[in-house]
């Protein structure tokens, strides 16, 4: 079954086999890394909390393109992930609300 499915995928036209672009961002003690990124429209961003963190962090959309709904993760220290697909072009400023001066990030969606 799995082999058959793989074979079917292999012969499918490239256009239908296109995957959602993904990007992983690290959430560490007092940093979001990378701090500045540019991605394609429709990219699914996953913020991944490092397992070495001692402090609690969150991820919040502070400012985004017009009509983009603000998002806010849970508060977590380790072992947590939060994902969002960015479908509108523009600039997204993301912060940790507990450490906004150290932990901020600008994502440009093209
Ligand atoms: Cu923080």
């Amino acid at each position: 079954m799995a082999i058959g499915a793989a074979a079917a995928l292999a012969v499918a036209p490239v256009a239908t086999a296109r995957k959602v672009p993904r990007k992983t961002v690290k959430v560490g003690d007092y940093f979001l890394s990378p701090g500045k990124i540019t991605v394609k429209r429709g990219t699914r961003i996953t913020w991944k909390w490092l397992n070495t963190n001692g402090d609690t962090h969150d991820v919040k959309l502070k400012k985004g393109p017009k009509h983009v709904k603000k998002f806010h993760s849970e508060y977590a220290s380790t072992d947590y992930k939060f994902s969002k697909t960015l479908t509108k072009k523009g600039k997204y400023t993301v912060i940790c609300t507990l450490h906004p001066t150290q932990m901020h990030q600008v994502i440009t969606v093209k």
Side-chain angles (χ1 to χ4, degrees), residues 43-91:
T43 299
R44 187 155 181 83
I45 310 280
T46 299
W47 287 267
K48 195 172 186 293
W49 273 243
L50 299 180
N51 287 331
T52 48
N53 291 345
D55 209 346
T56 301
H57 307 289
D58 65 353
V59 153
K60 185 185 182 178
L61 179 62
K62 188 186 173 197
K63 199 165 188 276
K66 263 192 186 139
H67 308 304
V68 169
K69 223 178 147 194
K70 297 281 194 299
F71 54 76
H72 193 182
S73 74
E74 305 286 321
Y75 295 90
S77 54
T78 57
D79 243 344
Y80 178 68
K81 271 185 198 172
F82 178 74
S83 297
K84 274 286 159 196
T85 302
L86 306 182
T87 55
K88 271 207 125 188
K89 288 183 184 180
K91 213 176 210 186

Side-chain angles (χ1 to χ4, degrees), residues 27-32 49 55-58 76 95-100 102-103:
V27 180
D29 271 344
Y30 321 113
F31 65 87
L32 293 170
W49 273 243
D55 209 346
T56 301
H57 307 289
D58 65 353
I95 59 160
C96 166
T97 63
L98 303 171
H99 315 101
Q102 298 134 291
M103 299 178 69

